[in-house]
Each structure stands twice: as C-alpha cells, then as structure tokens.
C-alpha cells in the first residue's frame, strides 16, 4: 500500500520545475541574460516617461510614446519573424541587444546635457520598439530548439518568473533612483545591464536556419500566417489572447479608478498587483509540468482574468479590487503558460520564427487597443462600469471562441498530430516538415 506523500513532498511538488535550467546550458545563459536585461529595461521604461513628464508637464506628451511605439513593433515584429527563420538566431539576438544598449547610451548622453532634449526620447522609444520587434521572434523561437519537448511548460514558467522579477523590482528601484540620483543614473544602470547581456549572448551556441537560402520576404510572412490560420489550436491561442486584452486591459484608467475609490495611495499597488499574482503562480508552478491539456490553461486562465477584472470594476472596496487584480495576474500567467507551451510543442522549426512574429502581435497589439477601449468607454459609462463590463465581455468572448474552436479545449500534447510530429523530429535530431495546410476549413467557422 502506497503511503500518502508527506507535507514536504507536497510542497516540493508545487515549487517551480528547474529541469530546463539543468538540462540546457543555452537556456541557463538566456535565463540569466533576461534576468539582467529585464531589470535594466524596466528601469528605463519608468525613467523615460518620467523624464518626458518633467520636460513637458503634459499627459498627452507622455501618452504619445504609445503611438510612436506601436507601428515599429508591428512592422519589425513581422519582419523579425521572417528574419529568425532565415539567419542565425543567435546573431539576431546579439545584434539587437547591442543596439538596445546603444539606445540606452543615447538616453544617458541626453540626460547628462545641461538641458536635455525632448525629441531624442521619442526617437529612442521608437527604436527600442523596432529592435524589440526584431529580437522577440528570434528569442522566442530559440526556446523550442534548446529546451526538451516535455520541459516547455517548465521553461515558460521560469521565463515568466524572470519577467515578473524585472516587472516588480525594476520600476520600484527606478522610482527611487530617479527621485534621489536622477535620470542619468537610471540610464547608466540600463547601459550596464545591456553590456552584461551582450557578453552572455556571445556564449550562446550558434542557431543557424534549418533551411538554406531562405530570405526574409513578404511571401514568407504570408506562408506563416496561412499556416497559423489553418491550425484551429494555434488560431484559438491568438484569438483568445487578443479578445482578453482588448476587452479587459484597464491599466489606462487605473488613476481614475483610484480617484473613484478615494484611494489615491493605491495607484502604484494597482499597477503592481497583477505582477504579484503572476509571481505567486510562478512560484507554485511545479504542478503545471505534469499537465498535458494546455488548451485548458489558455481558456481557463483567460476566463479567470476576465472574471477577476469584472470584480475589480464591480467592488467598491479598494482592498477587494487589489485582490481581484492579483487574481487576474495569476489567470493571465496561466493562460500564457498554455499559449507558450502549445506554440513551442507544435510549430515546425522552419516556421517557428515567422509564427513567433505573429505571437508578438497577439500579445502586444491587444493591450494597446484595450487601453484605448477602456479609456473611451470610461468617458461614456464611467470608470468602474468600463472595467467590469470589459471583464464580462472578456468572459463572453472566451466562451464563444472556445465553442467555435473546440480543438483548443481538447488539445493534448500526447495525442495532437502537430505536437507528435514536432517531438519525433526533435528526438530524432532531424528537421520536421510542416504538414500541408488543410483545405479551406480555415478560420473560426471552419474549426
């Protein structure tokens, strides 16, 4: 008779699965590199808008950063996906990290001027967006190559933990550094983190393309989009994420929500609560490595996100609002784990970069549009109504998309054809070939 596991064993089963760090030297390098650069990047992300605010005193001038960042992110994100399938991904990551470090140096030089200029701040913001769009597909697509198939969920959880650490500590430290030491000091830290990152990236194993004589092209981007459109599981991950962010991303109205709750002191906590919830889930994510139905992660996590955002708008007690926002962050991370695992387990290596470019759009454009929706609706219905109604619309859209794309709900990493093909090719050390797109059952109606 098997004895029940001890409390210590049950606790250990909840802790993050560290197997990707043990099994892959390249993953270890990228994890440490990301830990360093996320800290520096979040430092600059806080210092830059604060500097624009100090130079102009205009909320519109600060908000204009979003406008100059969106187009480069979309254009270079798609091109970066094609580039990641055509050249050595290590070289793309190395070159863009060096470029980001150079942009941070420009911020440092500008901040050191007797009278800092405004226009370089927007140029740098656009440049950072473009380089991030180029880099992210190469970085994301590399994970599927360097981490074993069965460890993809664990790798996604560890990467999320790394990001949450930067999201919590970077802004907190940046606020103190800017307040007591100035913008130049904050940018100096950012430059230093990118210098360390470049050194670490130089040690990565080369990751050349799997197909020779492939050049980045519009035709290649369309080929990747056509493959995604023909796969209901992939389509579901993109659609649910876009819908969740469009309807239930209320960050833009947090200052007004804090005012309505008569709790101006809570504004910083509102922005941090989601990251805290994600961090708690990440620190107890060991169980996620034993799950095979990752589509359920996507759907359930997005539904929890929507319900929690609805609660944040409905409740009038600020502490309940903060709890709801933390729960929303946990739901968002769970959905993200499912998306990342499905992407890395099913997409063929020769298309991985281009699909990663599409992924950049799915999780970046949604929040941008979501902030516009939240702000516009708050002006029409009031802040709290805009928040809770967006959460309800998110849950309804997740339910509708799940009904239209049932293959996402039934996805099983042990039986899905694309996942099996990817696993067998990786185990054999060969390059898998993408199965042809099915005949026109494309899109939501054909799923």
């Amino acid at each position: 008779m098997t004895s029940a596991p001890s409390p210590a064993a049950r606790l250990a089963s909840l802790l993050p699965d560290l197997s990707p760090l043990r099994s892959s030297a390249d993953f270890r390098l990228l994890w440490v590199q990301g830990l360093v650069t996320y800290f520096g990047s979040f430092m600059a992300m806080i210092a830059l808008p604060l500097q624009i605010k100090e130079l102009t005193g205009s909320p519109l001038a600060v908000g204009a950063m979003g406008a100059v960042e969106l187009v480069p992110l979309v254009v270079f994100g798609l091109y970066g996906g094609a580039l990641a399938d055509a050249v050595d991904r290590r070289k793309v990551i190395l070159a863009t990290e060096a470029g980001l470090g150079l942009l941070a140096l420009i911020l440092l030089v500008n901040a050191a001027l007797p009278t800092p200029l405004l226009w370089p701040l927007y140029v740098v913001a656009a440049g950072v967006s473009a380089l991030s769009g180029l880099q992210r597909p190469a970085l994301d697509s590399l994970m599927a190559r360097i981490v074993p198939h069965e460890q993809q969920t664990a790798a996604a959880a560890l990467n999320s933990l790394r990001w949450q650490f930067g999201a919590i500590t970077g802004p907190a430290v940046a606020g103190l550094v800017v307040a007591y030491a100035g913008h130049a000091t904050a940018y100096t830290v950012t430059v230093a983190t990118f210098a360390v990152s470049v050194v670490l990236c130089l040690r990565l194993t080369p990751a050349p393309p799997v197909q020779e004589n492939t050049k980045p092209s519009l035709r290649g981007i369309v080929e990747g989009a056509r493959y995604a459109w023909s796969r209901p599981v992939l389509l579901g991950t993109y659609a649910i994420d876009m819908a969740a962010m469009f309807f239930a991303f209320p960050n833009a109205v947090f200052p007004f929500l804090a005012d309505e709750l008569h709790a101006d002191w809570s504004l910083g906590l509102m922005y941090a609560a989601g990251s805290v919830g994600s961090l708690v889930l990440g620190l107890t994510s060991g169980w996620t490595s034993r799950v095979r139905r990752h589509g359920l992660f996507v759907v359930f996590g997005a539904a929890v996100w929507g319900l929690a955002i609805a609660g944040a708008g409905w409740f009038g007690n600020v502490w309940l609002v903060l709890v709801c926002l933390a729960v929303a962050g946990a739901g968002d991370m769970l959905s993200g784990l499912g998306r990342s695992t499905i992407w890395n387990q099913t997409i063929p290596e020769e298309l991985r970069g281009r699909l990663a470019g599409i992924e950049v759009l799915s999780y970046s454009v949604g929040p941008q549009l979501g902030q516009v929706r939240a702000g516009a609706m708050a002006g029409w219905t009031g802040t709290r109504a805009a928040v809770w109604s967006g959460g309800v619309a998110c849950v309804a859209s997740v339910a509708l998309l799940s009904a239209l794309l049932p293959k996402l709900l039934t996805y099983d990493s042990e039986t899905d054809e694309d996942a099996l093909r990817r696993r067998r090719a990786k185990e054999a050390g060969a390059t898998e070939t993408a199965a042809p797109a099915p005949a026109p059952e494309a899109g939501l109606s054909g799923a």
Side-chain angles (χ1 to χ4, degrees):
M1 183 175 180
T2 304
S3 59
S6 66
R10 287 196 292 267
L11 177 61
S13 69
L14 293 177
L15 296 177
D17 183 354
L18 303 181
S19 53
L21 291 170
R22 291 191 291 265
S23 63
S24 172
D26 281 332
F27 182 78
R28 288 195 299 273
L29 281 171
L30 284 176
W31 197 87
V32 174
Q33 172 266 336
L35 188 67
V36 172
T37 54
Y38 279 153
F39 179 80
S41 296
F42 275 106
M43 176 90 65
M45 283 173 59
I46 297 301
L48 184 56
L50 283 176
Q51 189 175 20
I52 294 176
K53 176 179 178 292
E54 288 185 7
L55 291 174
T56 66
S58 168
L60 180 61
V62 177
M65 278 185 60
V68 302
E69 290 170 342
L70 181 58
V71 173
L73 182 62
V74 172
V75 174
F76 286 91
L78 288 173
Y79 179 76
L83 187 68
D85 285 335
V87 302
D88 189 325
R89 292 169 186 170
R90 171 183 174 272
K91 291 181 179 178
V92 175
I93 295 169
L94 183 59
T96 50
E97 282 294 287
L100 289 167
L102 180 61
L103 291 176
L105 184 61
I106 292 173
L107 289 176
L108 172 58
V109 171
N110 184 61
L113 295 175
T115 304
L117 303 173
L118 178 62
W119 64 265
L121 305 184
Y122 291 109
V123 172
V124 168
V128 168
S129 186
L131 287 175
S132 297
L134 282 175
Q135 182 191 80
R136 191 61 184 262
L139 198 57
D140 287 353
S141 60
L142 191 58
M143 291 298 162
R145 182 181 293 193
I146 65 176
V147 176
H149 183 91
E150 67 278 3
Q151 295 176 9
Q152 290 297 333
T153 304
L158 290 171
N159 284 338
S160 181
L161 271 178
R162 177 188 63 181
W163 189 91
Q164 297 303 336
F165 175 82
I168 293 172
T169 60
V173 175
L176 294 174
V177 169
V178 171
Y180 293 102
H183 295 92
T185 302
Y187 297 141
T188 299
V189 173
T190 303
V191 171
T193 61
F194 278 109
V196 173
S197 174
V198 168
V199 172
L200 291 172
C201 288
L202 284 169
R203 299 179 60 191
L204 289 172
T205 304
V210 297
Q211 292 183 340
E212 297 296 332
N213 301 319
T214 301
K215 294 182 179 181
S217 65
L218 179 61
R219 180 178 179 181
I221 295 172
V222 171
E223 180 186 0
R226 186 181 296 118
Y227 178 86
W229 187 256
S230 71
R231 295 302 192 272
V233 173
L234 289 179
L235 195 59
T237 64
Y238 302 141
I240 284 180
D241 186 41
M242 286 283 288
M245 294 298 103
F246 175 75
F247 287 115
F249 193 80
N251 289 29
V253 299
F254 279 170
F256 304 96
L257 181 60
D259 285 345
E260 288 196 17
L261 297 174
H262 307 291
D264 293 344
W265 54 267
S266 69
L267 180 58
L269 295 178
M270 287 183 182
Y271 284 115
S275 294
V276 172
S278 296
L279 182 63
V280 171
L281 182 64
L283 291 173
T284 57
S285 62
W287 62 275
T288 62
S289 296
R290 299 184 289 276
V291 175
R292 298 171 5 192
R293 301 283 296 279
H294 302 106
L296 293 176
F297 278 9
V298 177
V299 174
F300 181 73
V304 169
W305 162 267
L307 284 172
I309 294 297
W314 184 263
F315 292 120
N317 181 288
V318 67
W319 293 109
L320 288 177
V321 170
L322 293 173
V323 169
C324 286
L325 293 175
V327 172
D332 184 44
M333 180 176 174
L334 184 64
S335 185
L337 289 181
R339 293 193 307 270
S340 180
T341 302
I342 290 172
W343 294 339
N344 287 334
Q345 285 185 342
T346 64
I347 298 173
E349 179 64 22
E350 71 271 16
L351 293 174
R352 190 66 193 88
R354 280 164 283 180
L355 270 293
I358 295 174
E359 291 154 20
V360 169
L361 301 188
S362 79
Y363 54 66
S364 60
V365 174
Q368 297 276 9
L369 297 178
Q371 297 205 73
V372 174
R373 183 215 65 84
M377 194 163 184
W380 177 40
T381 65
T383 303
R384 289 177 60 188
V387 175
W388 71 253
S389 63
V392 171
C394 168
V395 175
S397 64
V398 169
L400 176 61
L401 289 168
S402 299
L404 292 172
L405 297 163
K407 287 187 178 180
L408 177 62
L409 284 172
T410 59
Y411 173 85
D412 187 323
S413 61
E414 296 296 324
T415 59
D416 181 82
E417 291 182 3
D418 290 325
L420 288 174
R421 185 182 303 110
R422 182 85 173 89
R423 167 178 282 182
R424 289 165 184 160
K426 193 164 186 177
E427 289 174 349
T431 300
E432 74 272 36
T433 301
E441 63 167 48
L444 300 181
S445 60

